[in-house]
Amino acid sequence: MTQQIPSTEPELTGVRNFRDVGGLPTVDGRRVRQGVLFRSGHLAHATAEDAVFLSSLGLHTIFDFRNAADQKLEGPDVELPGVLNVNLPLTDPAHGADFWTMVRDGEIEQLRELLGDGKAANRMISSYRDIIKSRTAEHARVLHALAEDSAPALMHCAAGKDRAGLSIAVTLLALGVEREAIIADYLESNAKHRRYKVRRSSGAESAHSPEVMELLSPLFEARAEYLTAAFDTIEETWGDVDTYLEQGLGVTPEIRERLRERLLD
């Protein structure tokens, strides 16, 4: 018997990694409300049918964390009538145009040098740490907007895994969601139907050889160690989550309470 995908997670054709984060439990026994907080990959390739579904969600705001290079590569998001589009570019988790050119075009020797011996995973960990420390203004803007009038909201980047994943995680921390539940939701991006498709310029079989795919996999996987590094960075830099939210993001207890009123059952 095939498992039916719930109505909040349709078989979208041109949008990958879409999901409602509703239902996640908080440490005080509440749950994130269904239909108020969504995450996905980019919306640039959304079909007409996809757009109809997205329009049915009653979205107030779409937060797009892609940078100009992403938007040039993929295109702008589909326009949804009456929805506010907010572009807040975050550091690309494996940032640098030269880097991504190498990922798409590099020969196996170059990829071994760039990504082998744990370098790819270390690059991702470093990037997650950097986003937490350097993008406090952007994360502050998201949380303040959600506390005011920006929900229901959809957060996305290119693959919906790293930049959107971190922004969702920060939001869930502010709501008091259990740490294990935040990590479990993050790891959902590894599901086969969600995965970002690795693009290699060459059609040659060697361009997608097992060794190439293994070298590239740390860039395209959601790994608990990446998100854990972000949490560790919060604690190393600010001491604890409460201080990070209040001093790092300017999210006072009053704003957190408004967030909970809007986004929790």
Side-chain angles (χ1 to χ4, degrees):
M1 181 178 172
T2 56
Q3 185 179 8
Q4 281 195 313
I5 293 176
S7 59
T8 49
E9 190 181 330
E11 294 271 18
L12 292 169
T13 304
V15 179
R16 295 186 76 79
N17 207 5
F18 173 89
R19 60 192 180 276
D20 184 342
V21 300
L24 297 181
T26 64
V27 293
D28 61 357
R30 301 170 75 180
R31 288 192 180 271
V32 179
R33 188 173 299 151
Q34 297 282 349
V36 295
L37 193 57
F38 302 92
R39 57 181 295 174
S40 74
H42 71 76
L43 310 181
H45 301 161
T47 65
E49 292 80 7
D50 294 342
V52 168
F53 172 79
L54 293 168
S55 294
S56 77
L57 299 175
L59 295 172
H60 181 287
T61 304
I62 292 171
F63 294 100
D64 178 359
F65 301 115
R66 295 179 300 160
N67 57 32
D70 296 318
Q71 293 185 340
K72 184 177 179 183
L73 179 67
E74 296 144 1
D77 279 345
V78 65
E79 286 196 28
L80 302 176
V83 180
L84 178 65
N85 284 278
V86 176
N87 181 223
L88 292 174
L90 297 180
T91 311
D92 193 305
H95 57 280
D98 291 343
F99 177 86
W100 281 108
T101 298
M102 185 71 71
V103 167
R104 288 193 299 272
D105 305 334
E107 300 293 334
I108 186 67
E109 293 81 9
Q110 294 170 307
L111 293 177
R112 285 177 187 144
E113 176 65 27
L114 186 70
L115 305 173
D117 298 322
K119 289 178 191 168
N122 287 338
R123 188 183 183 97
M124 296 299 289
I125 288 169
S126 174
S127 177
Y128 273 55
R129 287 181 173 276
D130 182 62
I131 288 174
I132 288 294
K133 286 193 283 192
S134 68
R135 297 294 174 167
T136 50
E138 288 83 352
H139 283 145
R141 186 171 166 190
V142 169
L143 291 182
H144 282 83
L146 289 173
E148 295 305 325
D149 59 359
S150 293
L154 168 66
M155 299 186 195
H156 80 79
C157 48
K161 172 177 76 78
D162 301 304
R163 290 165 288 182
L166 269 177
S167 301
I168 285 284
V170 168
T171 303
L172 296 176
L173 283 176
L175 292 172
V177 172
E178 293 176 1
R179 192 77 59 97
E180 295 78 9
I182 298 174
I183 293 172
D185 171 71
Y186 167 76
L187 293 175
E188 283 288 318
S189 291
N190 287 328
K192 190 174 181 181
H193 69 288
R194 303 188 193 281
R195 290 287 291 268
Y196 190 74
K197 292 180 179 175
V198 180
R199 293 182 190 170
R200 294 275 285 154
S201 299
S202 171
E205 200 171 311
S206 60
H208 293 82
S209 71
E211 185 182 358
V212 168
M213 291 298 100
E214 186 175 340
L215 285 165
L216 294 176
S217 67
L219 307 178
F220 294 97
E221 289 176 356
R223 295 187 176 182
E225 64 183 300
Y226 301 163
L227 197 54
T228 299
F231 293 152
D232 290 346
T233 301
I234 288 172
E235 283 157 13
E236 290 159 10
T237 309
W238 287 276
D240 55 45
V241 168
D242 292 343
T243 307
Y244 161 66
L245 290 166
E246 191 152 10
Q247 295 182 7
L249 306 187
V251 175
T252 62
E254 293 76 22
I255 293 170
R256 288 181 76 178
E257 191 51 43
R258 284 212 300 276
L259 278 168
R260 292 189 177 113
E261 286 171 9
R262 288 185 179 277
L263 301 178
L264 297 180
D265 279 331

